[in-house]
């Protein structure tokens, strides 16, 4: 089975209602350029409802940038998986390096979030993994990524609701993209890890690359065997860039 190309926008703490309208219009106008691509937008949670209204008739999926590891209760400022689902999200980013570095997303916490998401019907977990510049220099990339996968997915038995995003920390928001070959090498290692853990179902899991993907480098990245699409930060805030990246992903289906 061919894996459907996937492009996910991570707006982080950016965007507003005006950008929701502009981006939704641009995606609607150009949808025919990438009919085979699944497009997901992860805005700040308070913009999910505006997105839901803007794309009511469109084939655009919504996602959240994080979730709490508990199902409900006294967790001021947090969102449960069921609340996010009610707000229209069917994807959740987990373990983004910004959350690992600055917001206390430890390995056990990420694993608990993964189980929350996998327990929710029609919800997909997008697990972000990746090494720092120092770890790459010390040739620890494979070991670091494998350890992150094992910590988050050790207790997970099925992978149908799973996407992996390989995001080298040194490439996020820096303009320093991994070369297609560098990225493919890690994606192939992740693919092998997934097939060892989940058997043939691991071959169906989509693995995205994230880290300074732009309109002008997307096609070369998406041409690699195990790069099934992208997780896009900065370039997902500019309609022309994001549309071009979605269009580049369409070539994977031909
Ligand atoms: C991200 O934060 O997930 C990301 C990939 O950001 P950028 O595209 O800006 O590097």
């Amino acid at each position: 089975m061919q894996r459907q190309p996937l492009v996910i926008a991570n707006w982080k703490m950016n965007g507003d209602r005006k950008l929701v309208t502009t981006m939704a219009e641009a995606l609607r106008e150009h949808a025919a350029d990438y009919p085979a691509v699944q497009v997901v937008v992860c805005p700040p949670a308070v913009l999910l409802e505006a997105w839901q209204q803007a794309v009511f008739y469109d084939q655009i999926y919504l996602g959240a940038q994080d979730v709490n590891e508990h199902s409900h209760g006294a967790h001021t400022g947090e969102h449960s998986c069921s609340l996010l689902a009610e707000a229209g999200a069917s994807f959740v980013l987990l373990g983004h390096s910004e959350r690992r570095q600055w917001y206390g997303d430890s390995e056990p916490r990420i694993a608990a979030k993964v189980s929350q998401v996998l327990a929710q019907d029609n919800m997909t977990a997008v697990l972000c993994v990746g090494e720092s510049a120092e770890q790459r220099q010390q040739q620890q990339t494979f070991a670091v990524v494998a350890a992150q996968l094992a910590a988050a997915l050790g207790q997970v038995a099925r992978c149908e609701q799973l996407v992996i995003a390989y995001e080298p920390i040194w490439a996020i928001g820096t303009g320093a993209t991994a070369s297609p070959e560098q990225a493919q090498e890690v994606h192939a290692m992740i693919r092998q890890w997934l097939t060892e853990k989940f058997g043939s179902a691991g071959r169906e899991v989509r693995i995205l690359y994230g880290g300074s993907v732009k309109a002008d480098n997307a096609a070369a990245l998406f041409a690699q065997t195990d790069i099934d699409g992208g997780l896009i930060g900065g370039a997902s805030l500019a309609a022309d860039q994001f549309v071009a990246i979605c269009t580049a992903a369409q070539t994977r289906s031909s």
Side-chain angles (χ1 to χ4, degrees), residues 73-87:
H75 302 288
T76 303
E78 295 288 288
H79 298 100
S80 69
C81 205
S82 56
L83 278 172
L84 294 170
E86 213 174 33

Side-chain angles (χ1 to χ4, degrees), residues 54-246:
V55 297
F56 193 77
Y57 296 106
D58 301 298
Q59 273 293 339
I60 292 169
Y61 295 79
L62 301 180
Q65 298 173 13
D66 187 35
V67 68
N68 189 265
E69 65 271 37
H70 301 283
S71 62
H72 63 279
H75 302 288
T76 303
E78 295 288 288
H79 298 100
S80 69
C81 205
S82 56
L83 278 172
L84 294 170
E86 213 174 33
S90 50
F91 287 75
V92 183
L93 307 182
L94 294 173
H96 190 282
S97 62
E98 288 155 15
R99 297 212 61 87
R100 288 179 190 260
Q101 283 176 284
W102 302 319
Y103 297 101
D105 266 10
S106 61
E107 300 286 19
R109 205 165 173 218
I110 294 166
K113 292 179 181 195
V114 169
S115 22
Q116 280 294 322
V117 174
L118 299 186
Q120 180 82 32
D121 286 343
N122 302 317
M123 193 68 105
T124 296
V126 182
L127 175 68
C128 304
V129 295
E131 81 288 1
S132 66
E134 199 185 1
Q135 289 164 333
R136 175 162 281 267
Q137 269 158 19
Q138 293 170 355
Q139 302 188 341
Q140 292 172 349
T141 300
F142 284 9
V144 167
V145 170
Q148 289 170 333
L149 292 170
L153 303 177
Q155 303 304 314
V156 172
R158 297 173 64 88
C159 60
E160 286 74 12
Q161 290 165 259
L162 190 64
V163 168
I164 307 294
Y166 168 57
E167 298 209 300
I169 298 169
W170 48 272
I172 296 179
T174 59
T177 323
S179 70
E181 295 73 24
Q182 278 175 322
Q184 166 58 28
E185 187 181 54
V186 183
H187 281 232
M189 171 255 139
I190 295 172
R191 174 77 56 218
Q192 191 182 340
W193 192 96
L194 291 168
T195 47
E196 279 168 18
K197 163 100 181 136
F198 298 110
S200 58
R203 280 198 278 280
E204 310 303 329
V205 175
R206 290 173 292 177
I207 309 175
L208 308 182
Y209 169 77
S212 299
V213 178
K214 306 277 183 247
D216 60 4
N217 61 22
L221 286 159
F222 299 163
Q224 299 295 312
T225 314
D226 290 293
I227 303 184
D228 300 308
L231 177 54
I232 318 298
S236 72
L237 297 165
D240 56 342
Q241 285 275 324
F242 191 60
V243 162
I245 292 167
C246 294

